[in-house]
Amino acid sequence: MFKTQNWSKSTLSAVRFTVLLAILLSCFGVAQEETWVSGEVSSDLNAPFNFTGWEGPGEVEKWTMTFDEFFAANYPNVQQVGNTGVAWPDYWTTLPAQLSGGAPIDLVWMHDSRVQTFANNEWLLPLDDYLTQFPIPGWPDKFVPSQVAAFNYEGKQYAIPYDWAPGGLYINADLFAAEGIEIPTEDWTWDELLAAAQKLTKDTDGDGQVDQWGISNLASVGTGPGIIYWVVKSFGGDYWNEKITESRMNEEGTCAAMQFLGDLIWEYEVMPTADAVAATGFGPELLFANGKVAMHFALNDTASRFAELIADDFNWTVAPTPTGPAGRFQFVGGSAFAIPSTATQPQLTYELIRYTISNPEVLPRTADMGSAYTSHLDYTGFVLPQDSPIRDAYEQTFAVLGERDGVFPQYHPKFLEWESSVFVSVFDRLWTGEERDASVLCQEAHDLTNALLQE
């Protein structure tokens, strides 16, 4: 691990000189070009650099392009070994096993719902010493405050956020227009969403099978608790109390939210089952991109993929998620880069993270390629081209309402275990139709949650 006392006297003198020079140049109004390496790693380093993450083709390129540029300019002999596009559920089962076993992974994608678990198990390095000795430009004042805090555990920073991700509805505007339905607003209720979804769900070819659905991707097999927490809150429910000592899984609001989501699939048949999606040969995103879904729930960064997939096939836009009986809430979350405790090149990794999330020559491209709100606040305006036809709707749906109504569960070190062993295990039976009474499953989840929290 990188520590202050490991710095040589000559290195400390150089750092002090650099800081003094920066102050003097600032006083005389002279701009200083940012230095992206610390001098602690030899430019001739010849070693593998291992990294892993869940983002795959269509998303990971905005990072790998930056990685390529960084290494070519600073460490041309380093060999990048990437393992990306790991399926989300697989990532969170394999990565703990890898790190527990000492796998030499230098950089990992980290999520705000997982960092407490990883930090508590000492699978990640705290970054405070790095931040002190080689500060990230603008940190932390120029970064989304909630995301900075999200990756801080027990007073230590364990990851550097690279984005801020609100959720919303993607709308097939042509299908809406054909039925005379107005594009949803933030005042839309769940009842209005259901009524619209029922009108928009059709058997278009007359074979007796639905082949156009009103809505997709709100809940399905494997859906985690974080992604639908905003639905639970909108019905007045929650997962546990503020102290995270007692379950609230069996409360009326929580059960009502789960029942509504299940009913969209089984009672009203306006949201496709996992089997129905698989039968089309498409995934949920391609189902929408091929005009088979009128409303698709997804995060803001999905826009870049839809822009490419849909092209001019039909008119589409984005719109806010509904307001529930308990008010309006909206999914928000975010991801970050972290350094595992097993990293063989931690200082090099930190330099790469610093370059990737604060370089003004890189961030506009990152935002544009991924339709991503960067964690750096100065570059949120690059999230879409200025002439994008959905730009205004995108900003209102994701940025404005996400900041106002965004909500996420109280994450804690047992969350990862609870998600897989309790939430997904229990509620997958609702999404598959094995059990259609949500109150039965909520009581089961309630008992299991209390048992886990009180261990």
Side-chain angles (χ1 to χ4, degrees):
M1 177 181 171
F2 172 83
K3 294 182 181 293
T4 304
Q5 57 265 35
N6 290 339
W7 283 45
S8 65
K9 292 182 179 179
S10 60
T11 300
L12 286 171
S13 297
V15 170
R16 294 188 185 106
F17 174 78
T18 301
V19 172
L20 178 60
L21 179 61
I23 294 172
L24 290 172
L25 290 174
S26 176
C27 291
F28 287 99
V30 179
Q32 182 190 21
E33 184 177 353
E34 180 63 49
T35 300
W36 296 111
V37 295
S38 65
E40 287 296 296
V41 181
S42 170
S43 60
D44 295 328
L45 177 68
N46 188 334
F49 180 84
N50 298 285
F51 61 92
T52 185
W54 60 81
E55 290 185 330
E59 281 292 327
V60 77
E61 290 83 4
K62 63 181 179 291
W63 306 123
T64 53
M65 288 177 63
T66 299
F67 293 3
D68 290 345
E69 293 166 358
F70 173 80
F71 284 112
N74 301 294
Y75 303 103
N77 297 322
V78 168
Q79 306 97 48
Q80 296 182 68
V81 183
N83 178 31
T84 58
V86 182
W88 176 267
D90 295 338
Y91 186 75
W92 300 115
T93 55
T94 59
L95 187 58
Q98 290 172 322
L99 299 184
S100 297
I105 303 174
D106 296 297
L107 173 67
V108 296
W109 270 244
M110 186 50 51
H111 195 259
D112 56 5
S113 63
R114 277 27 182 193
V115 69
Q116 297 84 358
T117 299
F118 277 69
N120 188 65
N121 284 283
E122 298 183 347
W123 295 331
L124 303 178
L125 293 179
L127 304 180
D128 304 83
D129 285 346
Y130 296 89
L131 288 163
T132 298
Q133 298 294 354
F134 195 32
I136 293 174
W139 179 270
D141 296 341
K142 285 288 187 177
F143 289 77
V144 178
S146 64
Q147 290 307 104
V148 173
F151 294 97
N152 192 290
Y153 177 67
E154 294 188 342
K156 295 181 180 181
Q157 196 72 34
Y158 281 91
I160 306 299
Y162 61 69
D163 72 351
W164 176 69
L169 296 176
Y170 289 81
I171 303 295
N172 185 320
D174 288 350
L175 295 182
F176 268 66
E179 295 297 328
I181 304 172
E182 294 186 0
I183 303 298
T185 69
E186 64 186 275
D187 298 319
W188 246 38
T189 65
W190 284 110
D191 287 342
E192 289 174 303
L193 179 143
L194 174 59
Q198 289 176 307
K199 289 187 68 174
L200 292 160
T201 299
K202 296 179 180 296
D203 169 15
T204 61
D205 58 11
D207 68 351
Q209 300 292 323
V210 171
D211 48 29
Q212 175 184 301
W213 287 270
I215 190 163
S216 66
N217 215 42
L218 277 176
S220 186
V221 174
T223 294
I227 201 69
I228 59 173
Y229 183 66
W230 63 278
V231 182
V232 173
K233 290 291 288 183
S234 77
F235 278 85
D238 215 318
Y239 297 148
W240 34 67
N241 61 358
E242 290 186 7
K243 294 182 179 180
I244 318 179
T245 57
E246 294 182 0
S247 170
R248 293 183 57 188
M249 291 299 301
N250 67 345
E251 292 187 2
E252 181 179 355
T254 307
C255 294
M258 295 302 180
Q259 189 67 63
F260 183 84
L261 291 172
D263 286 348
L264 290 177
I265 302 172
W266 302 110
E267 177 70 18
Y268 305 113
E269 299 182 343
V270 297
M271 188 161 66
T273 65
D275 288 342
V277 174
T280 67
F282 301 131
E285 284 191 6
L286 285 177
L287 206 61
F288 178 82
N290 281 273
K292 301 298 184 181
V293 171
M295 294 177 279
H296 177 82
F297 174 78
L299 307 188
N300 65 300
D301 59 359
T302 308
S304 60
R305 297 193 291 278
F306 281 156
E308 182 177 349
L309 290 168
I310 297 170
D312 296 325
D313 291 348
F314 59 83
N315 294 306
W316 64 281
T317 187
V318 296
T321 47
T323 295
R328 187 179 187 280
F329 298 87
Q330 183 169 336
F331 172 87
V332 291
S335 303
F337 292 126
I339 306 176
S341 54
T342 59
T344 60
Q345 306 292 338
Q347 176 64 26
L348 176 63
T349 305
Y350 175 74
E351 292 180 10
L352 174 63
I353 293 172
R354 183 180 182 275
Y355 178 92
T356 303
I357 58 91
S358 66
N359 189 338
E361 296 182 3
V362 166
L363 288 169
R365 180 183 66 200
T366 300
D368 179 53
M369 285 185 66
S371 300
Y373 286 116
T374 60
S375 61
H376 198 300
L377 293 167
D378 286 351
Y379 297 91
T380 56
F382 293 92
V383 70
L384 289 175
Q386 292 294 325
D387 60 352
S388 171
I390 70 165
R391 185 178 178 87
D392 290 344
Y394 187 99
E395 286 291 312
Q396 177 66 19
T397 294
F398 295 117
V400 175
L401 297 179
E403 182 178 3
R404 190 192 75 186
D405 300 334
V407 63
F408 49 86
Q410 290 179 282
Y411 296 121
H412 54 86
K414 292 183 178 180
F415 184 86
L416 181 56
E417 179 185 356
W418 174 80
E419 179 182 70
S420 59
S421 67
V422 177
F423 191 91
V424 173
S425 177
V426 170
F427 288 104
D428 267 4
R429 286 152 51 200
L430 181 61
W431 318 137
T432 62
E434 179 183 342
E435 173 60 67
R436 299 191 185 183
D437 185 345
S439 64
V440 172
L441 300 176
C442 284
Q443 185 60 50
E444 182 179 341
H446 175 76
D447 294 337
L448 291 171
T449 299
N450 274 334
L452 183 62
L453 293 179
Q454 293 164 17
E455 284 180 358

